[in-house]
Amino acid sequence: MMMAVVLAVSAVVSYLMGGLNGAIVASRLFHHEDIREKGSGNPGFTNYKRVYGNGLVTWLVLIFDVVKTMFVVSITAWVMWAYFDQWQFGAQFSGLCAMLGHCFPVWYRFKGGKAFMAGFATIWFVDWRMTLMAMALFLLVLFTLKYMSVASCTASLFCPIILPFLGVANIWVEILAIAGAALIILRHHENFAKLLRGEESKFSLKSKKAS
């Protein structure tokens, strides 16, 4: 009963916290615009960088999306470890709820981002070894093919594949990991359509503000 209460509270708090979007806040605060009406329309780091340039605020947007998720995931993981010895499950559960909040935020009429950074923040608490391998794969694909969408989805797909080999607390951790990866991949469906049409923009650390 107590675990159900903890998970219910975690689900609500993680969803609400995950729904806070740094790109939307920053675009409104610093540019008096809505990033969802600019560029690709996605309220995330890549689109914000493409529209507003490679400045400090752009990187703060990325940091915010990571930190907000780490905050709720770490608390849930700690509580689940302290009382039920289920920290891995708690981290994956809270992370998935935060990812759902980021994708479908009640704060912004359910129009949010693609949750890759939220997913990236989550897996640090699930298994750090998986995170290091996924991050290496992500960087390899990103700087080889130059497509953020392909790199994000490749790294996301890799996680639930490698996780069972590293060890999971129970089957639910793997199920939630699969759900998280599927969510990220599905949220990138428009990017894959653009890839097929040859319209997907390539990522560059030196990209300038769009004219």
Side-chain angles (χ1 to χ4, degrees):
M1 181 64 180
M2 183 177 177
M3 182 184 290
V5 172
V6 169
L7 291 177
V9 172
S10 172
V12 174
V13 174
S14 298
Y15 169 81
L16 293 176
M17 183 67 76
L20 298 175
N21 190 292
I24 295 176
V25 172
S27 65
R28 290 176 173 176
L29 182 63
F30 295 102
H31 304 281
H32 308 292
E33 298 173 334
D34 190 332
I35 187 63
R36 293 172 296 178
E37 298 174 355
K38 298 291 181 176
S40 68
N42 180 60
F45 165 74
T46 304
N47 191 43
Y48 193 96
K49 180 176 179 294
R50 188 176 296 125
V51 173
Y52 297 119
N54 198 14
L56 174 62
V57 174
T58 299
W59 292 95
L60 289 177
V61 166
L62 182 148
I63 293 171
F64 179 82
D65 282 345
V66 172
V67 171
K68 71 175 183 183
T69 308
M70 284 187 165
F71 177 74
V72 290
V73 170
S74 62
I75 292 176
T76 301
W78 182 84
V79 172
M80 290 293 288
W81 168 76
Y83 292 97
F84 312 108
D85 195 27
Q86 291 284 344
W87 60 269
Q88 194 181 51
F89 171 70
Q92 190 70 74
F93 176 84
S94 174
L96 180 60
C97 292
M99 291 167 67
L100 288 169
H102 185 82
C103 292
F104 311 106
V106 66
W107 312 114
Y108 311 112
R109 299 181 181 179
F110 304 101
K111 186 179 179 181
K114 297 178 180 177
F116 174 69
M117 290 302 170
F120 173 74
T122 298
I123 61 176
W124 278 106
F125 297 91
V126 177
D127 194 304
W128 63 270
R129 299 167 297 174
M130 173 180 66
T131 307
L132 293 179
M133 288 186 283
M135 184 165 58
L137 179 60
F138 168 79
L139 293 174
L140 175 64
V141 175
L142 179 62
F143 290 109
T144 300
L145 300 180
K146 308 294 185 182
Y147 292 115
M148 179 66 80
S149 56
V150 177
S152 300
C153 292
T154 301
S156 300
L157 180 62
F158 171 80
C159 290
I161 292 175
I162 195 64
L163 185 57
F165 296 97
L166 300 174
V168 291
N170 56 61
I171 188 62
W172 286 106
V173 176
E174 176 66 11
I175 291 173
L176 293 175
I178 293 172
L183 176 63
I184 292 173
I185 293 170
L186 288 173
R187 293 291 289 175
H188 282 83
H189 71 278
E190 291 182 359
N191 299 88
F192 291 115
K194 288 181 179 179
L195 275 169
L196 292 174
R197 296 194 301 265
E199 299 173 357
E200 180 74 341
S201 299
K202 290 190 175 183
F203 179 83
S204 172
L205 288 174
K206 298 180 181 180
S207 63
K208 303 290 186 179
K209 178 178 176 180
S211 59

